[in-house]
Amino acid sequence: DQQVKQNSPSLSVQEGRISILNCDYTNSMFDYFLWYKKYPAEGPTFLISISSIKDKNEDGRFTVFLNKSAKHLSLHIVPSQPGDSAVYFCAASTMYNNNDMRFGAGTRLTVKP
Amino acid sequence: NAGVTQTPKFQVLKTGQSMTLQCAQDMNHNSMYWYRQDPGMGLRLIYYSASEGTTDKGEVPNGYNVSRLNKREFSLRLESAAPSQTSVYFCASSESLAGVQFFGPGTRLTVL
């Protein structure tokens, strides 16, 4: 029972354009959402988060949007750079509890020069 | 600071063999975690330790045991490995159960 789904296994964009990565969740109790980024042979690293009291959070080139009614969040990267090429994982939890965090399967982003 | 370190990086076992995966963090974090990642699936929590001296089951604990040796170290043991335990294992740590997790580089385990 995958409570967090990333339906696009891969995404390819041109350098300088926008990358949009999508994530859907089924558990309405989730109230804290995160994106992690993973390079090959490394562990995931935290990128950005959002709590359910907000619908948008920005950090430099990265913006996460949350649509609670649709149980959907997205990560926007503008402008995309070749160094952004990685696997991006969406994650969700309740009340900031890491012990019930659920991860999506990941989307592999390739940014072409 | 090394962050979160894991040993070994790679391991091949035969069915029924046992082994221990080691994890250490140098960030003085209270909470530590073990995850597995399988193809087409997200990371799944095996066990976690909210603080030194405590351990609890996560989403997929069967076939595993853990030891929080001290504040720095958290080991994962497979007593009798099975092919279904072929996976990439990640250790992570955070200041608390509510904190951002920092992950190690992973151990790729193959059970034949």
Side-chain angles (χ1 to χ4, degrees):
Chain A
D1 172 26
Q2 285 196 289
Q3 298 183 46
V4 177
K5 296 181 182 179
Q6 294 176 256
N7 292 320
S8 297
S10 62
L11 175 68
S12 180
V13 300
Q14 209 66 36
E15 182 178 5
R17 306 292 290 268
I18 184 171
S19 296
I20 300 177
L21 294 90
N22 293 303
C23 178
D24 297 296
Y25 61 95
T26 58
N27 188 342
S28 57
M29 298 300 290
F30 288 145
D31 57 9
Y32 184 54
F33 306 89
L34 307 89
W35 286 93
Y36 281 86
K37 176 179 179 179
K38 184 184 178 305
Y39 292 117
E42 295 183 10
T45 56
F46 170 72
L47 189 59
I48 192 169
S49 64
I50 187 168
S51 74
S52 59
I53 62 172
K54 292 185 171 183
D55 54 17
K56 176 182 174 181
N57 190 27
E58 280 183 87
D59 184 2
R61 296 185 297 113
F62 302 91
T63 303
V64 56
F65 295 92
L66 176 63
N67 182 334
K68 291 185 288 292
S69 61
K71 295 192 181 69
H72 177 84
L73 63 155
S74 60
L75 175 68
H76 292 211
I77 306 174
V78 183
S80 300
Q81 299 173 355
D84 296 329
S85 297
V87 177
Y88 290 79
F89 292 99
C90 168
S93 71
T94 59
M95 299 294 287
Y96 298 85
N97 278 329
N98 289 330
N99 59 340
D100 71 354
M101 186 168 290
R102 296 291 187 266
F103 286 80
T107 296
R108 182 179 302 278
L109 173 66
T110 303
V111 181
K112 297 181 178 178
Chain B
N1 284 356
V4 180
T5 56
Q6 293 183 234
T7 54
K9 286 186 166 42
F10 301 93
Q11 184 71 49
V12 179
L13 293 177
K14 294 181 179 177
T15 297
Q17 288 185 317
S18 62
M19 81 160 295
T20 300
L21 281 65
Q22 307 287 353
C23 174
Q25 52 92 8
D26 63 3
M27 295 174 283
N28 202 34
H29 284 169
N30 291 302
S31 303
M32 297 186 73
Y33 316 81
W34 276 105
Y35 289 90
R36 60 178 289 174
Q37 184 193 10
D38 300 300
M41 301 188 74
L43 283 78
R44 291 182 293 167
L45 184 62
I46 304 170
Y47 270 92
Y48 67 98
S49 171
S51 60
E52 187 179 357
T54 69
T55 60
D56 281 289
K57 296 178 180 178
E59 186 184 355
V60 289
N62 290 347
Y64 306 95
N65 284 302
V66 290
S67 295
R68 183 74 183 267
L69 305 169
N70 48 54
K71 192 171 186 179
R72 288 188 65 246
E73 299 173 287
F74 189 39
S75 63
L76 178 72
R77 182 159 178 85
L78 287 71
E79 290 291 350
S80 179
S84 61
Q85 294 178 305
T86 293
S87 189
V88 180
Y89 291 84
F90 290 100
C91 177
S93 71
S94 61
E95 283 190 11
S96 70
L97 281 184
V100 169
Q101 295 179 75
F102 293 80
F103 286 83
T107 295
R108 184 173 293 275
L109 175 67
T110 302
V111 183
L112 303 175

